[in-house]
Amino acid sequence: MEIINIGIGLGGYVGGMVLRKSEWREELAKILPGERIAWDVPMAELTTFRIGGPLDALVQPESTDEVARVVEFLEAYEVPWMVLGLGSNLLVRDGGIRGVAIRLGKSFASLEIRSDHTVWAGAAMSLSALARQAGAAGLSGMEFAVGIPGSLGGAIFMNAGAYDGEMAMVVQSVEAYLPAKGFVTYRPEDLCFGYRQSCFHAGHRLALSVLLQLQPGNEDMIRQKVADFTERRRTKQPLEMPSAGSVFKRPPGNYAGTLIESAGLKGLRVGGAQVSVKHANFIVNTGGATANDVLQLIEEVRQRVYEHAGVWLEPEVRVVGEEPRIP
């Protein structure tokens, strides 16, 4: 892992100084142009589940310098922060999120296909769009990702995968930013990839771009594989309803959806949350579902699958935020 230290140039911020909410808002507004900061944003507008209370602030840096300035400011003043991609695989509690979410801007969504069969892409790039563009260029290896609804950065975070493929199979390096350390280059051996796991789960670090090693392939075969995976998703997954994708990780030697279906839980509801009748490892928002509805349904499914099959399902969806405050 290569670390490149940089001078942040934050004008003398002192670490450990805690500001009131009104104060850090005022200071944050000095770092980015106003149009790249949104205040009190409903997380239901930023997640594929269409669920979640308000976020204090959403910032969208458009350069690596802005990333560094924002992160070091938040760290110095102990303002809680998280990285937000396209909001898939995420359940935000009904009280919302205190602090700041960093969502990389459009300048981090570019892509470059190189002559050595590598693809460089910004972490804000849509994973599905990346897979399609790579395939259109005759490069094979990303077909599995064509229907995964997330950003490239989120795919690195979760080591996203499907149809016997995963990000660990194609990642050559990741450029990231670490608080107080600067810009870091992660090699495959540094990334600690596992089943829906990576080193990005451990502490604050922000993926900025990714270099992928793909292979030349037959364009017709790539196109056929992409079409096949797309059709499978369309017919077998509830894409027409808000969800966070697969709710549970695949248990050893089995499938979560199979276990849930065999326990007779398709269609089970709590409030506006429902186990999909199309794919049992999806929980869908039928309209007006709260995070509490989803969490109660997850626990009910886990308990009943354990009673039926003796297997404790492990949630894959990330849960963040806080409960609503009682007046």
Side-chain angles (χ1 to χ4, degrees):
M1 180 173 64
E2 178 186 358
I3 298 178
I4 304 174
N5 291 309
I6 62 169
I8 305 302
L10 295 179
Y13 293 155
V14 179
M17 180 177 180
V18 181
L19 298 182
R20 293 190 300 270
K21 185 175 178 179
S22 59
E23 292 174 325
W24 68 251
R25 283 185 178 221
E26 182 178 340
E27 292 298 318
L28 181 61
K30 297 175 183 179
I31 298 177
L32 291 179
E35 67 271 15
R36 296 213 288 277
I37 305 177
W39 308 103
D40 303 313
V41 183
M43 286 301 295
E45 297 178 358
L46 301 177
T47 63
T48 59
F49 233 148
R50 298 293 179 256
I51 293 173
L55 164 69
D56 286 344
L58 174 71
V59 302
Q60 299 187 79
E62 288 287 356
S63 70
T64 54
D65 178 68
E66 288 182 350
V67 168
R69 290 175 61 81
V70 167
V71 168
E72 296 304 332
F73 165 78
L74 298 174
E75 287 286 310
Y77 286 123
E78 299 184 9
V79 179
W81 64 277
M82 63 176 285
V83 181
L84 179 67
L86 297 181
S88 59
N89 197 48
L90 188 66
L91 176 64
V92 180
R93 291 188 176 95
D94 301 315
I97 299 173
R98 304 289 70 76
V100 174
I102 301 174
R103 171 181 271 182
L104 297 176
K106 293 180 180 178
S107 64
F108 290 92
S110 56
L111 175 145
E112 177 187 341
I113 297 175
R114 299 177 175 175
S115 59
D116 60 354
H117 311 309
T118 60
V119 174
W120 176 93
M125 181 83 183
S126 159
L127 189 63
S128 182
L130 187 158
R132 291 183 182 279
Q133 290 187 41
L139 294 179
S140 179
M142 283 295 294
E143 294 93 332
F144 72 89
V146 70
I148 298 178
S151 66
L152 177 57
I156 295 298
F157 181 91
M158 289 298 295
N159 186 22
Y163 304 120
D164 298 320
E166 61 181 8
M167 295 305 298
M169 298 167 62
V170 294
V171 172
Q172 184 167 325
S173 65
V174 176
E175 300 294 327
Y177 187 83
L178 272 66
K181 292 185 178 180
F183 298 99
V184 174
T185 299
Y186 287 97
R187 305 301 177 190
E189 61 270 20
D190 304 319
L191 290 165
C192 304
F193 278 136
Y195 180 68
R196 303 299 176 260
Q197 289 288 328
S198 75
C199 70
F200 285 84
H201 285 246
H204 279 152
R205 55 196 78 192
L206 200 163
L208 301 173
S209 65
V210 181
L211 185 65
L212 304 168
Q213 180 64 65
L214 303 181
Q215 302 298 326
N218 180 282
E219 289 188 39
D220 288 337
M221 292 182 66
I222 294 172
R223 193 161 35 245
Q224 183 177 349
K225 187 179 289 187
V226 166
D228 176 46
F229 290 163
T230 300
E231 181 64 11
R232 286 197 218 178
R233 288 184 180 275
R234 187 190 68 80
T235 57
K236 296 182 179 180
Q237 297 180 5
L239 304 181
E240 70 282 0
M241 303 183 75
S243 78
S246 297
V247 175
F248 299 103
K249 296 179 180 180
R250 178 179 175 180
N254 214 319
Y255 292 93
T258 300
L259 291 170
I260 296 167
E261 184 172 357
S262 66
L265 302 181
K266 272 190 170 182
L268 182 67
R269 296 179 65 126
V270 173
Q274 181 185 45
V275 175
S276 170
V277 296
K278 199 171 187 179
H279 192 308
N281 198 22
F282 281 65
I283 289 178
V284 296
N285 179 358
T286 64
T290 66
N292 195 49
D293 290 341
V294 175
L295 291 170
Q296 286 187 48
L297 186 53
I298 286 174
E299 287 309 308
E300 180 69 14
V301 168
R302 294 183 73 231
Q303 182 64 44
R304 290 172 64 170
V305 166
Y306 179 75
E307 293 170 356
H308 178 77
V311 176
W312 280 113
L313 294 177
E314 182 181 353
E316 178 177 320
V317 63
R318 293 177 61 215
V319 182
V320 299
E322 58 186 37
E323 297 294 340
R325 296 176 182 176
I326 300 175

